[in-house]
Amino acid sequence: MIFMYIDTHCHLSREDYDDIDKVIEENKNANIDKIVVSGCSRESIEEVMDLKDRYDMVYVTIGYHPEYADTVTESDLDYLKSLLGEKKIIGIGEIGLDYHYTKENKDKQIWLFEEQLKIANAFNLPVVIHSRDATMDTINTLKKYKVKGIIHCFSGSLETANIYISMGFLLGIGGVVTFKNSKLKDVVKEVPLESIVLETDSPYLTPVPFRGKINSSKYLEFIANFIADIKNISVEELAEITSRNASSLFDFDR
Ligand code: NI
């Protein structure tokens, strides 16, 4: 049986990969059907717009990452909006809150997050959420807007997982689940399969046994195998369910 994976979140920049043609070829050979590439700065948005036109398997989400909260302007938001009618732009992200390095600019982060949630709402697009050390503010902000989406790189507790699931969000599970010291596997075990999508977040968070190497969508199968094991189902079944989950959120016909 042929089964295909969807990498629901990754980055694909010439800064990280010398030969993107080769990356795409390797993905095809690793049963990757589609990859959702995130452009999350002004420069990377321009870069992903080109990638989606160049490669069939590439779909994109665009939006400003919280790390740019101090520099994003109204005109950057207008630029974002001006692109949203284009083909293969299937969501807004990654957007959210990141208090890991600083929460001094918390108000600015929340402003940027809310502006982009309003855009997602207005254009009826799903969101890809980045939340680091900011769970409560993320939940409270999301509750104010009617949006659907993915909690990208979810690595929180079962309690947090259940809150997001009850709000209609999917959990993006990636390489962290394979890390020896991660408790994520215990959470994934308890979460319904209907709420899980797969992601690599490449070039970051490379799964075991490739930790230390640059990550790529081609390693998604190692994440899938690991989760299938935890859930005690075949990897074919996991691929089918998670691809279906992704396709019901993202409109890949756009
Ligand atoms: Ni990312």
Side-chain angles (χ1 to χ4, degrees):
M1 184 192 149
I2 295 178
F3 58 99
M4 300 299 266
Y5 298 111
I6 299 175
D7 186 351
T8 62
H9 182 89
C10 62
H11 306 270
L12 191 57
S13 169
R14 278 173 205 95
E15 224 177 276
D16 300 307
Y17 304 95
D18 302 330
D19 187 348
I20 292 189
D21 285 349
K22 187 174 150 219
V23 173
I24 297 288
E25 271 319 296
E26 289 174 342
N27 289 348
K28 286 183 192 163
N29 294 331
N31 290 345
I32 303 292
D33 184 28
K34 299 180 177 76
I35 64 175
V36 182
V37 180
S38 167
C40 51
S41 66
R42 180 89 183 216
E43 300 71 39
S44 77
I45 289 173
E46 282 165 17
E47 200 174 359
V48 303
M49 294 303 287
D50 172 58
L51 289 172
K52 77 175 176 54
D53 294 335
R54 207 184 283 258
Y55 302 104
D56 278 352
M57 74 157 63
V58 173
Y59 294 77
V60 303
T61 65
I62 56 177
Y64 300 103
H65 191 284
E67 74 178 277
Y68 305 110
D70 288 329
T71 52
V72 172
T73 61
E74 292 281 354
S75 108
D76 291 321
L77 291 170
D78 287 341
Y79 173 66
L80 179 70
K81 281 188 265 186
S82 75
L83 298 174
L84 293 178
E86 289 201 30
K87 280 178 94 72
K88 295 176 88 180
I89 300 179
I90 56 171
I92 304 290
E94 52 185 287
I95 60 172
L97 301 172
D98 193 326
Y99 298 163
H100 186 71
Y101 299 105
T102 180
K103 29 169 140 181
E104 264 169 46
N105 64 352
K106 203 170 149 170
D107 292 346
K108 275 219 122 158
Q109 288 197 34
I110 293 177
W111 171 80
L112 179 61
F113 189 22
E114 293 204 30
E115 286 305 304
Q116 297 184 99
L117 289 170
K118 286 177 202 163
I119 294 171
N121 217 326
F123 286 82
N124 199 19
L125 284 166
V127 291
V128 175
I129 301 299
H130 171 103
S131 175
R132 192 170 183 198
D133 298 345
T135 304
M136 278 327 291
D137 281 0
T138 302
I139 290 170
N140 290 333
T141 308
L142 285 173
K143 276 189 174 158
K144 292 162 67 178
Y145 297 89
K146 255 201 155 133
V147 287
K148 288 192 301 181
I150 295 174
I151 308 301
H152 139 63
C153 193
F154 179 80
S155 54
S157 66
L158 181 58
E159 193 190 353
T160 305
N162 284 332
I163 294 172
Y164 284 130
I165 291 168
S166 73
M167 291 166 68
F169 281 87
L170 298 169
L171 307 178
I173 306 294
V176 174
V177 75
T178 70
F179 297 175
K180 210 178 163 189
N181 55 0
S182 163
K183 294 192 173 75
L184 186 57
K185 47 179 114 31
D186 305 325
V187 176
V188 167
K189 198 175 183 146
E190 303 300 325
V191 161
L193 277 164
E194 285 62 38
S195 298
I196 294 174
V197 288
L198 304 177
E199 64 167 60
T200 58
D201 201 18
S202 52
Y204 316 108
L205 299 172
T206 313
V208 172
F210 300 104
R211 278 189 89 172
K213 282 193 178 185
I214 185 168
N215 200 3
S216 165
S217 300
K218 71 179 173 185
Y219 295 141
L220 199 68
E221 58 185 297
F222 293 89
I223 298 166
N225 276 317
F226 196 91
I227 298 175
D229 250 17
I230 297 174
K231 300 302 255 182
N232 211 4
I233 59 172
S234 70
V235 76
E236 289 86 350
E237 203 179 339
L238 183 84
E240 195 194 320
I241 296 169
T242 54
S243 293
R244 196 197 309 141
N245 296 343
S247 302
S248 65
L249 178 73
F250 290 129
D251 180 2
F252 290 112
D253 296 323
R254 271 183 87 94

